[in-house]
Each structure stands twice: as structure tokens, then as C-alpha cells.
Amino acid sequence: MTSTPQLSISISPHLTALAMISDALAGRRRGLPELWRKEIGSSVRPQGHQAVRPLAAPGYSVVPDSLVPRTPTSGDVSVQDQIDTLRDLPRDALIKDLEQAFGDRPLPAHWRPAAERPDRWLHGYAGALADVWDTTEPLWRRARPLLDREIRRVGVATVRGGPELLLGALNHRITYGECGLMIADVESSTYELGDRKIVLVPMLAGKDAVIVSLDNEDAVWIAYPVPGADQLWHRPAGTAHGELSALMGPVRADLLGAIGQPMTMSMLAGDMQVAPSSITYHCDRLIAAQLISRERRGREVWIARTPRAEELLEMFRR
């Protein structure tokens, strides 16, 4: 074992989007709530669904570097930066990444369509990333208090000592000890980190989601679910939610917070675990207050937050 690891933290939401893509679209389930799996699945266009399939092929956990070409070791990375990088990536770069990822082994069948038509694959994956982020970005905004708390937690561990304990407590799939870093995955392995810096990247993802990159000579990064994320799947977290509840009542505050993107009345009733008749009643009151809109599409009734509601929620988040 080498010296005490040096930790830093990066707030890079594109890894949250990658984790959600793998769970909701590619089928590598890592604890994302079923409601969000369905919402994400319905938001992505067919070409995006096709592009992400190789990410969860049975028996494989290796993916080309093109999926995360700008690593968090150089600072926070936005989702739009990642999308732009993918769309500008030369086709030869993807083929080179695939060859590097699998070495002398024959290219696995699930990656051959990407190698044969790299431009199509890159366009499809970039589109899937954009669609997923359009759906989940409001949830990421609500996670800001949790992310700020995690920044403080990592900072305390770095300044006061105990980074080894923090690494071992990131997630049940991560073990850190005298033998190095152990990641329990499809291809579980132990890694010696040496004197490289470790960049921690908290994600808003399922409880079993872990993404690791060990290729950088100077630093490695570990993406893991931010503690407390489970409280965000159904309602906003923290004091702001309590203040909003006092203003309009807990059911309507929860309901307004749950509509992070347009959804059907039946989906909302399932998410809230409230009787449809009660959901209808509270939605009627929110419509009267001009906080949500209602639209019939075929046999389904869809509801969405209005700009007035967004302004109200933003005021309580401050």
C-alpha cells in the first residue's frame, strides 16, 4: 500500500446521465426507481435506444472512452459539453477507442454496429444523452443541497484525515483496504492506485450505480450515488419543501414537486401512492391556481408545471 490517498471532488452531471442511460435504457439495473426508468425510456427516441444497447451486454463492463472523453480529473463537466464532444468526435476516434478498449481480442458482437457505422452510433448516443438530460435535469437541480453536503463531507475527510474510511464507505460495491481498490462488478477486480489522486464524482443514480476510470496516469475518478438521493425521487428535499408544504399543504407541495416533467395522471397517482380521485381533486386546485396545466392526448390526460409554478419552486429553493 502507498501513501494516504489525495481526494478531490467534481460535480459532473454527465456521469449521472450515463448511469441513468445504463440503468433505464441499456438494461443494467442499478437501483433506479421504476417510475424514472419508465420516464427516461419514454423520452428517448428509437435511434437513441438502439445506440445504448451495447452498454449493458451480458458479461461485459468495458465501454470505449468516447462515452466520457472529457474526464472529471480536469474539472466539472456539463452534459452539454459531453454532447458537443460526442457530436464533434471524428469517426476514426471511436474506432480507435473500441480497439483500445478490447485490445487484441475480437471486437464483441454488440459493439460491431458502432464500429461499422460510427457516425450513426455517435449521433444516436449523443441524442439519447440529450433526451435523458432533458428529463432528469430538474431532478439534478433539486439535488443541489445534497451535492453541497457531499462536497463538505469530502472536504472534512481530506482536511482532517480519514480518506481511506471515506473511500470504503462510498458504496457497498466499493472496498478500499491494504490490497487496493476493489470494485464488485460484472468483471470484478482489485486495482492498485499508487500515488495517483482520486477524484470523487457524486451521481444522482440508483443505489448500486458505480462508474470508475483508471486510465489516467495522474488521477483516477470514481462516480458513486450521492448519499440521500432516495429522498429526491418523489419530492424536493430540505427546508424549502417544508416551507412550501406550509403554504399549500403537504399533498399539493409533494404533487407539484413530483411533476419534474410532463406525466400522465395515472403515472402521478402511482408515484404519489395516492388514490386517483384524490389526485384529480388536488390537480384541480393547482390548475385553478395556475400552477399546473392539463392536456388530453388520446385516452391519457397529461399534466405539467406552468412557468408560474417554476418561479414559485425556484423562490423556495433559494
Side-chain angles (χ1 to χ4, degrees), residues 12-24:
S12 299
H14 76 285
L15 288 170
T16 284
L18 174 57
M20 290 189 170
I21 284 174
S22 298
D23 192 317

Side-chain angles (χ1 to χ4, degrees), residues 248 252-259 286 291-292 305 309 312-313:
M248 63 174 55
R252 292 175 199 172
D254 286 352
L255 191 153
L256 199 62
I259 311 173
L286 291 173
L291 294 175
I292 65 172
R305 288 201 296 244
L312 178 66
L313 290 171

Side-chain angles (χ1 to χ4, degrees), residues 216-287:
N216 191 291
E217 294 181 356
D218 300 319
V220 301
W221 56 261
I222 304 171
Y224 59 98
V226 63
D230 55 327
Q231 66 185 277
L232 291 176
W233 300 123
H234 300 294
R235 57 180 64 88
T239 304
H241 179 262
E243 294 173 350
L244 191 61
S245 295
L247 175 68
M248 63 174 55
V251 175
R252 292 175 199 172
D254 286 352
L255 191 153
L256 199 62
I259 311 173
Q261 61 288 314
M263 60 174 58
T264 65
M265 295 285 283
S266 58
M267 290 167 58
L268 183 61
D271 181 26
M272 298 283 295
Q273 297 184 349
V274 174
S277 59
S278 181
I279 288 289
T280 300
Y281 170 78
H282 289 293
C283 282
D284 287 343
R285 305 284 78 74
L286 291 173
I287 290 170

Side-chain angles (χ1 to χ4, degrees), residues 110-129:
H110 56 281
W111 280 111
R112 288 174 194 162
E116 293 167 358
R117 302 185 67 181
D119 292 335
R120 178 180 175 83
W121 185 86
L122 286 167
H123 180 77
Y125 181 76
L129 191 63

Side-chain angles (χ1 to χ4, degrees), residues 40-275:
I40 291 169
S42 65
S43 71
V44 176
R45 286 160 284 189
Q47 188 174 348
H49 276 273
Q50 186 175 4
V52 304
R53 288 174 186 169
L55 272 62
Y60 291 88
S61 61
V62 176
V63 297
D65 289 342
S66 301
L67 269 66
V68 282
R70 296 184 59 190
T71 62
T73 55
S74 58
D76 298 349
V77 182
S78 74
V79 177
Q80 190 58 52
D81 285 343
Q82 172 70 355
I83 292 169
D84 292 342
T85 299
L86 286 165
R87 288 176 172 162
D88 294 339
L89 191 73
R91 55 180 296 164
D92 292 343
L94 174 61
I95 295 173
K96 182 179 179 180
D97 280 347
L98 288 168
E99 292 173 348
Q100 182 177 0
F102 296 100
D104 297 331
R105 294 173 289 172
L107 189 65
H110 56 281
W111 280 111
R112 288 174 194 162
E116 293 167 358
R117 302 185 67 181
D119 292 335
R120 178 180 175 83
W121 185 86
L122 286 167
H123 180 77
Y125 181 76
L129 191 63
D131 291 340
V132 167
W133 192 240
D134 283 345
T135 300
T136 58
E137 194 270 341
L139 192 68
W140 177 264
R141 289 203 309 265
R142 297 211 304 272
R144 190 70 234 191
L146 291 180
L147 296 168
D148 289 342
R149 187 177 68 187
E150 186 66 2
I151 291 171
R152 292 192 295 271
R153 186 171 79 112
V154 173
V156 168
T158 301
V159 173
R160 296 184 180 178
E164 298 92 342
L165 295 176
L166 178 62
L167 287 173
L170 291 178
N171 186 266
H172 70 92
R173 292 177 54 214
I174 300 174
T175 304
Y176 186 83
E178 293 183 0
C179 295
L181 182 73
M182 173 69 182
I183 306 294
D185 203 347
V186 177
E187 302 171 78
S188 298
S189 299
T190 299
Y191 307 95
E192 177 54 60
L193 304 181
D195 294 325
R196 289 183 290 176
K197 298 178 181 178
I198 300 174
V199 181
L200 301 180
V201 189
M203 300 186 296
L204 190 60
K207 62 182 180 62
D208 297 326
V210 173
I211 306 174
V212 179
S213 175
L214 300 151
D215 296 334
N216 191 291
E217 294 181 356
D218 300 319
V220 301
W221 56 261
I222 304 171
Y224 59 98
V226 63
D230 55 327
Q231 66 185 277
L232 291 176
W233 300 123
H234 300 294
R235 57 180 64 88
T239 304
H241 179 262
E243 294 173 350
L244 191 61
S245 295
L247 175 68
M248 63 174 55
V251 175
R252 292 175 199 172
D254 286 352
L255 191 153
L256 199 62
I259 311 173
Q261 61 288 314
M263 60 174 58
T264 65
M265 295 285 283
S266 58
M267 290 167 58
L268 183 61
D271 181 26
M272 298 283 295
Q273 297 184 349
V274 174

